[in-house]
Amino acid sequence: MSGTTRITLVQGDITRQSVDAVVNAANSSLLGGGGVDGAIHRRGGPEILAECRALRASHYGRGLPTGQAVATTAGRLDARWVIHTVGPVYQGSSGDPSLLASCYRESLRVADELGARTVAFPAVSAGAYGWPLGDAARIAVETVRETGTAVEEVRFVLFDAQAFAAFAEQVPQG
Ligand code: AR6
């Protein structure tokens, strides 16, 4: 994070945010799913899926690997881009934290390539993929703080009070 990157926290629906880029907690198929992925495709409309299919037909024939990120249009969302990233699954009692950190780092790298200045993130892997919220929040915030980026605002958009509280613990006065 450069000296000018602010981390902000919002409780709400990430598909209602006005930002340059919305990050999607996708799966490797890039073809949609539940949770925040489903919500983004529903509100963003079919243009997003069309670009995801094109990515699968070109660079990502075997899908987007865990920990990587790729951008598409944001369709009808109030944003210019959706940055799709694939979080690691928390299995049994562990997951690979370096892959979760990579999601945030790679998403910010893609955001910098695009010239995005405001980026909204969900709590990647903390839903269907089972990552414990407190640990997911710590990895998310630490990684953003450690990453050099021209992004001016990283906004974590937490769906419920519990997720918001977990992130607030990592971001004092957030
Ligand atoms: N806005 C903000 N956060 C949300 C929203 C929303 N509209 N909806 C859910 N969340 P998840 P994962 C929160 O399951 O764990 C999908 O099927 C949710 O409460 O969306 O990375 C994909 O296709 C949780 O805190 O993502 C993959 O197959 C966080 O977003 C798989 O789920 C992440 O939950 C990815 O699982």
Side-chain angles (χ1 to χ4, degrees), residues 12-15 25-27 32-40 87-88 122-131 133 157-160 163:
D13 181 345
I14 203 167
T15 68
N27 59 62
V36 72
D37 194 6
I40 284 171
V124 177
S125 287
Y129 282 179
W131 209 288
L133 255 177
V157 182
L158 297 322
F159 207 41
D160 56 27

Side-chain angles (χ1 to χ4, degrees), residues 38-131:
I40 284 171
H41 281 283
R42 264 196 310 279
R43 190 170 301 278
E47 261 188 276
I48 300 175
L49 187 58
E51 285 197 17
C52 286
R53 287 192 198 285
L55 285 167
R56 286 299 307 275
S58 55
H59 286 78
Y60 296 101
R62 304 165 110 180
L64 181 66
T66 303
Q68 295 190 23
V70 67
T72 65
T73 175
R76 296 195 290 259
L77 299 182
D78 189 10
R80 294 175 69 185
W81 304 283
V82 170
I83 297 173
H84 306 263
T85 192
V86 181
V89 177
Y90 195 88
Q91 275 167 328
S93 59
S94 68
D96 184 342
S98 70
L99 285 175
L100 186 53
S102 176
C103 289
Y104 290 95
R105 216 168 26 242
E106 288 297 303
S107 295
L108 289 173
R109 190 181 60 72
V110 170
D112 280 339
E113 278 175 11
L114 296 166
R117 291 294 177 259
T118 53
V119 178
F121 279 96
V124 177
S125 287
Y129 282 179
W131 209 288

